[in-house]
Amino acid sequence: MHFFQYKGKKLFAEDTDIAQIASDVGTPFYLYSYKTLIRHYNAFENGVKLLPHMVCYSVKANSNITILKIFINKGWGLDIVSGGELYRALMSGCPPNKIVFSGVGKTDEEIRRAIQAGILMFNVESSQELEEIHKVANHIGEIARISLRVNPDIDPETHPYIATGLFKNKFGIPYSEVKEIYKKANNLSNIEVVGISCHIGSQIIQLQPFIDAFKKLKELYFDLKKMGIEIKYIDLGGGLGIPYKEEEKPPHPEEYGSNIAKEASDVDATFIFEPGRVIVGNAGVLITRVLFTKDGADRRFVVVDAGMNDLIRPSLYNSFHQVLPVIKKGGKETVSDLVGPICETGDFFAKNRKMPNFEKGDLVAILGAGAYGFSMSSNYNSRPRIPEILVKEDKFWVIRVRESEEDLIRGENIPDHFKEEQ
Ligand code: LLP
């Protein structure tokens, strides 16, 4: 559920006319709805309320510091995967003891900064990483809290690029090896073992893979207990899917939480969840304007001013995003391709789809763009990155300005050697 709805013929974000925002800030831009974020926050909290828990919102889904601050204000922590995300987390005022650090390739520098900041724990993805964290912690005379990320070999039945919990994926430590590594971790002077973690993939629309993964973690939890290793945190990662198409029915957070709770009655640990998409995905839209239409020999092309550099999901995963007119004009629909201005055939938002008969100058809303939209955007084709706008009721704020052309070459320079023709 989201708060991008028509009032008459006009698409509104909460109580704000989207066409009005477009004329104020220009196109394209990302637009987020505060009320939708809060609705999803409440749904998730309510869903997991039967479990002792802490939610660490996954920064990578939408990393804007205002979005982070909204969740931090509500008491959530953050799941980070880089020094840059650590910086964002701290700049947004996240208490360090609510930060978990995931990811397969942490550098010494990132590890040191995270330890010194006092994060809750590292989700460790390999034996080598464990040794490195120990080395860094030892060097600076600190103790690093860790959990091991287990690869439970469970098929989340999602797009292969976003499945992470299978043995063929690079993530986590194989289930069969993990106890040995726990033993090793437990004997390292500057390591404190506090948790078990996993994350099996993203945009998962079945409940069963989550339950199966938890069952494996639970078995491990009891085995570790027998080995004298007390686990305080069980981190189940993120991954809950959202309905990109109206007919899609992913498990509701309530169903997810209550089913985990059913399996968890004999577990004495705090559960950590790292949701991203389910919180921000449908709380964001991409607003773009039609530059041209082309009636090709084969089909109609609607060329808009946003491109795959702004929203890469359709090109990368062939993902579906609903397309709506910002102002309904009626008339017949046509089968068209909605494409961007980039010099790539993969630069599309919708293909061969029945959509309004868009014309030059019309505004188009691309839905479900709040997660992995702006955060995956780039400057490809030397296009300045677009602004992010947050709406609350009838007010809106620019929470990231449109980049300038100066921004495009920031940090670049022409060495004297090349200033004159050689
Ligand atoms: N925790 C970890 C360790 C993760 O790797 C991820 C996402 C999450 C939590 C949050 O997962 P979520 O709740 O959002 O599913 N770019 C892709 C998605 C990549 C997901 C990467 N990891 C997309 O646009 O679909």
Side-chain angles (χ1 to χ4, degrees), residues 29-42:
F29 59 93
Y30 275 101
L31 180 60
Y32 309 129
S33 149
Y34 175 80
K35 204 166 152 186
T36 312
L37 294 171
I38 296 302
R39 185 190 167 90
H40 293 169
Y41 159 85
N42 285 327

Side-chain angles (χ1 to χ4, degrees), residues 244-246 248 313-314 317-323 349-350 353 367-368:
Y244 284 103
K245 293 184 181 163
E246 266 163 21
E248 277 173 340
R313 302 195 69 257
Y317 317 110
N318 205 17
S319 63
F320 181 94
H321 290 263
Q322 219 187 321
V323 168
F349 297 112
R353 197 178 308 164
L367 271 58

